[in-house]
Amino acid sequence: MAYSSIVKPSVYFNTKLYTGTGNSLNVTSVGFQPDMVWIKDRTGTNNHEIADAVRGANYQIYPNLANAQTNAGGHLTAFASDGFTLGTDGATNTNNSNYVSWNWKAGTGQGSSNTDGSINTTYTSVNTTAGFSISTYTDTGSNATIGHGLGVAPKMIIIKSRSHAKDWTVYHASLGNTKWLELSGSAGEQTNSNRWNNTSPTNQVFSVGVDSGINGSGYTYVAYCFAEKTGYSKFGSYVGNGASDGSFIYTGFKPAFVIAKRSDAGAAWVMYDSKRDIDNPSNHRLLSNASNAELVEDANTNIDFLSNGFKTRNADSDSNASGGTYIYMAFAEEPLVANSGTDGVPATAR
């Protein structure tokens, strides 16, 4: 039984740590040419930044802010075959500061227009193997559909207005097509038909209502769409138990990266990865909705990365409140692979 065509997930997603120099810097050993790079200063309180190959390397958007995209110069200046190049701006390259970058591979480059929806995308770069696409589009202000190119329905969609200061909008399949979350805020799930037009994504398109956060007349947007790939990525939900022997969340693989958000109440978006914590517990925590420096937490906020999922080791409301409902996205360090006579052999535990 084949569980995933992705034998080596690190050629589609990888976490790369680096130390700033204050001079032009080539960050290498990513393992592929990334099409989306999300950077956070671990040492200081600089904003999160995302650059992607569809909008262009020199354009920044900030996951913890509602701001429109900027072209400030000196940030990420180019994508390279094994990483990316940084200018001298301190947000991404302060001398002796420590940084983390999370890197995804889409279609290698800007892509082309997708015409599957009622609105044609300006560009769509898609990787159907890894279940990831990046699209830019200009909206009409009327209910519409937009092609994502994945060939299967995405489980998570993250949209940001490029032209206007609007909060980030997140669709997650666990919440359904009437609800949405703000990546740039801590609020719980909100209900509004003007976001997704009460319509779930299909294998070709996702739907947008008339809210200007995702569909303002003449506004420009970027959409990051993620489809689930068995043994490589997982987009699900869980219920917290409020105990130090916390909830176990099955993903089917050993996670390399996890973002989780309480959806039924206000809480931070918490981010963990296996490069900042090579052993359990994972306690170096960043918040995607805040510019805080990296928090090295105590036992109240730890999680463990296990061979087939992750487990909360805390009673913290951001990840394990008793009865709290959480959504998450996770990417694999090693895939679940087929094994004759069993239902698959997960990677070894840490």
Side-chain angles (χ1 to χ4, degrees), residues 250-270:
Y250 177 80
T251 61
F253 52 78
K254 179 182 178 181
F257 174 69
V258 172
I259 300 180
K261 170 73 175 79
R262 185 171 182 181
S263 58
D264 65 338
W269 292 80
V270 293

Side-chain angles (χ1 to χ4, degrees), residues 12 15 36 39 95 99 129 188 199 204 219 234 243 255 305 311:
Y12 298 112
T15 301
M36 173 179 164
I39 295 174
N95 188 35
Y99 295 84
T129 301
T199 305
Q204 289 187 307
Y219 290 24
K234 186 73 174 177
F305 284 170
K311 185 176 178 66

Side-chain angles (χ1 to χ4, degrees), residues 10-349:
S10 61
V11 301
Y12 298 112
F13 169 81
N14 203 1
T15 301
K16 174 66 180 177
L17 308 181
Y18 68 92
T19 301
T21 64
N23 300 310
S24 180
L25 176 64
N26 294 320
V27 178
T28 60
S29 301
V30 169
F32 54 88
Q33 179 171 324
D35 294 296
M36 173 179 164
V37 179
W38 181 335
I39 295 174
K40 179 64 180 83
D41 180 359
R42 302 168 62 193
T43 308
T45 58
N46 286 299
N47 293 314
H48 293 257
E49 290 192 16
I50 291 178
D52 65 67
V54 176
R55 292 180 300 117
N58 290 295
Y59 291 92
Q60 306 88 35
I61 47 175
Y62 309 97
N64 58 296
L65 299 175
N67 298 26
Q69 75 174 13
T70 60
N71 183 6
H75 296 246
L76 191 150
T77 59
F79 298 100
S81 61
D82 191 30
F84 52 91
T85 301
L86 298 169
T88 59
D89 190 273
T92 54
N93 191 15
T94 295
N95 188 35
N96 293 325
S97 285
N98 295 319
Y99 295 84
V100 58
S101 70
W102 300 288
N103 304 269
W104 285 265
K105 184 175 181 60
T108 308
Q110 197 169 49
S112 58
S113 177
N114 181 296
T115 60
D116 290 336
S118 61
I119 294 175
N120 296 338
T121 66
T122 310
Y123 297 103
T124 295
S125 179
V126 60
N127 186 331
T128 56
T129 301
F132 176 53
S133 71
I134 307 168
S135 297
T136 55
Y137 62 95
T138 300
D139 241 325
T140 62
S142 301
N143 293 334
T145 58
I146 298 158
H148 51 70
L150 294 173
V152 294
K155 289 294 187 77
M156 189 167 181
I157 304 170
I158 303 173
I159 296 177
K160 177 69 183 77
S161 171
R162 302 157 56 202
S163 55
H164 291 71
K166 294 290 181 179
D167 287 312
W168 294 69
T169 299
V170 178
Y171 165 85
H172 197 284
S174 298
L175 301 179
N177 61 34
T178 64
K179 295 181 170 62
W180 58 283
L181 291 165
E182 290 179 6
L183 184 67
S184 46
S186 59
E189 63 192 39
Q190 301 178 59
T191 302
N192 188 332
S193 63
N194 288 337
R195 295 286 169 158
W196 311 117
N197 198 27
N198 290 358
T199 305
S200 297
T202 71
N203 64 342
Q204 289 187 307
V205 300
F206 63 91
S207 296
V208 292
V210 296
D211 189 278
S212 61
I214 58 174
N215 186 11
S217 179
Y219 290 24
T220 60
Y221 297 86
V222 61
Y224 304 106
C225 296
F226 300 88
E228 194 168 280
K229 295 295 180 178
T230 302
Y232 168 71
S233 60
K234 186 73 174 177
F235 306 87
S237 65
Y238 66 93
V239 177
N241 66 9
S244 58
D245 183 16
S247 301
F248 168 71
I249 298 90
Y250 177 80
T251 61
F253 52 78
K254 179 182 178 181
F257 174 69
V258 172
I259 300 180
K261 170 73 175 79
R262 185 171 182 181
S263 58
D264 65 338
W269 292 80
V270 293
M271 310 176 76
Y272 298 93
D273 64 67
S274 61
K275 294 291 179 67
R276 290 179 296 132
D277 282 296
I278 60 174
D279 297 305
N280 285 323
S282 293
N283 62 359
H284 288 70
R285 186 172 74 157
L286 287 164
L287 310 177
S288 71
N289 60 293
S291 64
N292 302 36
E294 183 175 80
L295 306 172
V296 182
E297 302 286 8
D298 58 24
N300 290 326
T301 54
N302 293 343
I303 70 169
D304 284 350
F305 284 170
L306 304 176
S307 63
N308 57 355
F310 62 97
K311 185 176 178 66
T312 58
R313 294 289 189 185
N314 63 76
D316 182 72
S317 62
D318 285 340
S319 55
N320 191 34
S322 179
T325 302
Y326 297 82
I327 58 95
Y328 69 89
M329 66 185 299
F331 290 88
E333 183 167 302
E334 297 181 32
L336 188 68
V337 297
N339 186 51
S340 178
T342 74
D343 62 354
V345 179
T348 57

